[in-house]
Amino acid sequence: MFFAIVSCVHHSSMPLSGVYDNPDVTERLSSIACKVTAVPLETSAACPVDKPEKVICIDNSVFVLCNNRIYRFNRHGDFQNSISADANSRIHDYTVNPQWKQLIVLDNFRQVHFYTFDGIKQRQEDLSAPTGMQTVHRMSYYSNSLWFTFESLSPESAFENRLLRFDLADRSTESFGLTDVELGHNSLHRHFATEFAVSENVPYVYSPFVGKDNILRDTLYLLSHEAFDRRKRAEKPFCIYPVRINRRYLIASYCENVTKQSNFLFIYDRKNLTFFDMAGFKDDFFETGVVTDMQPLNMNDSEYYFYKTGGDAMKLFPERGEHDNPVLFFVCLNG
């Protein structure tokens, strides 16, 4: 690993310093964040949230997916209303149209439901017809279209990642093939679920590769070839990148394995040419312990979140009980 890193640094002509995962080293969250806001979610029988599956924040509305229901809170954590899936269906994913203040819900039958933020259903679209959509991963809203990342079965009977655009104006669909961004080496990558994202108004697709062994090498290669430059990404907008593209930071994470053996949090600072490849950051804003995962609050990755429950949350809010709803923490990154 040492020689691989030295080779990459030499190839990219960049000085580099970093922190590897080490049980004795826990970097402070303030190393990457300038501000963290705590949002204790209201606890009541109407909004039982144990583990947030996905959080989206738009203006003063905070949406939380949990146990097949979407709960809406305000920025102070006060409960507003909730939306559930239709009978006999499950919520597969959801997104938000900020322009029209719509909550858009995809169920497991590929029916797309449109709601007002207050939970009034407006209409429904059937997306079960497009052929080749074997497994749908994620749904996103961008530029008056819905974007679906999915797997299809190729003529050679191999699964491949693709992207579907559904135009909300004329209801037309358009499918795009997805390829890995050029990484300078031949390798068959296995992906976690692909996800549509936007950076500097240029769309791309993010998916951390299964296994983090080459993530630093791949990131350095992409940096040395200016692959994150807006103009280059605009030339080939639908490549799969192994990191999220923030204005200053490049971020990759996976935190769904209960055994924690394959979980990771990788962050590269393009300004200071430093990287963090570790199990988490020490919360030196609210002293709630170690932050092991951060996920974006919106599609352009401008703000992130993590959450705390139980004893960690009670340290900050002693009045809250062990089984109260989680406390969300909104993270504003440096730069």
Side-chain angles (χ1 to χ4, degrees):
M1 181 178 291
F2 171 78
F3 287 111
I5 293 172
V6 170
S7 175
C8 288
V9 175
H10 176 75
H11 179 74
S12 61
S13 300
M14 293 188 299
L16 180 69
S17 63
V19 177
Y20 278 105
D21 189 9
N22 186 313
D24 299 323
V25 176
T26 305
E27 196 71 17
R28 295 171 299 157
L29 186 58
S30 59
S31 300
I32 61 169
C34 61
K35 180 182 178 182
V36 177
T37 304
V39 182
L41 300 182
E42 176 185 328
T43 300
S44 70
C47 57
V49 177
D50 48 14
K51 179 182 178 182
E53 299 169 41
K54 183 177 182 178
V55 179
I56 296 179
C57 183
I58 298 293
D59 297 329
N60 193 44
S61 293
V62 178
F63 298 95
V64 180
L65 172 61
C66 180
N67 297 327
N68 205 36
R69 184 177 287 267
I70 299 173
Y71 300 96
R72 176 175 166 238
F73 301 85
N74 62 21
R75 277 258 184 178
H76 300 290
D78 303 318
F79 174 66
Q80 306 296 295
N81 58 278
S82 66
I83 296 171
S84 61
D86 288 350
N88 302 317
S89 67
R90 293 196 60 81
I91 297 176
H92 181 78
D93 199 6
Y94 79 101
T95 187
V96 173
N97 179 342
Q99 180 181 0
W100 298 102
K101 294 192 179 301
Q102 285 180 324
L103 184 67
I104 306 173
V105 180
L106 172 68
D107 68 21
N108 57 316
F109 298 113
R110 298 180 189 174
Q111 302 297 306
V112 182
H113 311 266
F114 296 79
Y115 299 88
T116 66
F117 280 7
D118 293 326
I120 300 174
K121 189 169 181 177
Q122 297 174 313
R123 73 177 196 275
Q124 181 174 327
E125 297 281 355
D126 184 359
L127 277 183
S128 60
T131 58
M133 294 178 66
Q134 299 289 331
T135 303
V136 179
H137 292 309
R138 297 284 188 268
M139 174 181 66
S140 302
Y141 171 86
Y142 174 68
S143 187
N144 203 38
S145 296
L146 293 177
W147 301 80
F148 301 84
T149 53
F150 66 97
E151 284 184 340
S152 68
L153 196 61
S154 70
E156 295 77 21
S157 298
F159 284 101
E160 57 184 12
N161 287 293
R162 295 189 65 85
L163 180 69
L164 180 76
R165 174 179 176 266
F166 176 72
D167 192 301
L168 292 174
D170 59 17
R171 291 170 172 74
S172 62
T173 60
E174 186 176 11
S175 183
F176 306 89
L178 295 175
T179 58
D180 292 336
V181 65
E182 173 57 44
L183 295 171
H185 60 88
N186 294 323
S187 177
L188 294 176
H189 294 294
R190 291 191 301 121
H191 296 269
F192 291 119
T194 50
E195 183 174 348
F196 182 84
V198 176
S199 175
E200 299 178 290
N201 295 320
V202 177
Y204 68 99
V205 174
Y206 160 73
S207 173
F209 297 142
V210 175
K212 63 172 185 174
D213 295 343
N214 296 328
I215 191 167
L216 177 59
R217 181 185 69 177
D218 293 344
T219 301
L220 292 174
Y221 180 89
L222 293 172
L223 283 165
S224 66
H225 287 74
E226 301 180 334
F228 300 113
D229 182 85
R230 184 181 186 278
R231 291 164 296 181
K232 285 200 174 185
R233 286 189 288 113
E235 293 173 1
K236 297 182 66 176
F238 302 132
C239 287
I240 303 176
Y241 285 78
V243 291
R244 295 186 183 276
I245 307 172
N246 179 265
R247 182 179 296 273
R248 174 172 172 176
Y249 296 98
L250 304 171
I251 302 174
S253 65
Y254 179 74
C255 195
E256 297 181 14
N257 193 329
V258 293
T259 65
K260 298 184 178 182
Q261 293 179 350
S262 62
N263 296 340
F264 64 89
L265 178 58
F266 172 85
I267 298 179
Y268 187 93
D269 184 347
R270 288 193 275 180
K271 179 180 179 180
N272 293 331
L273 304 182
T274 58
F275 70 94
F276 307 93
D277 184 4
M278 43 198 295
F281 289 82
K282 181 180 179 180
D283 177 11
D284 55 338
F285 287 89
F286 292 102
E287 305 297 335
T288 61
V290 178
V291 179
T292 58
D293 185 40
M294 293 194 305
Q295 296 297 328
L297 271 172
N298 43 49
M299 189 179 55
N300 59 12
D301 298 349
S302 61
E303 194 173 13
Y304 281 71
Y305 76 91
F306 64 92
Y307 70 91
K308 293 287 186 176
T309 59
D312 287 339
M314 292 171 64
K315 294 177 184 178
L316 181 59
F317 297 97
E319 70 279 7
R320 295 175 67 83
E322 181 74 23
H323 300 291
D324 278 0
N325 279 349
V327 177
L328 298 180
F329 295 87
F330 295 165
V331 181
C332 182
L333 299 177
N334 295 327

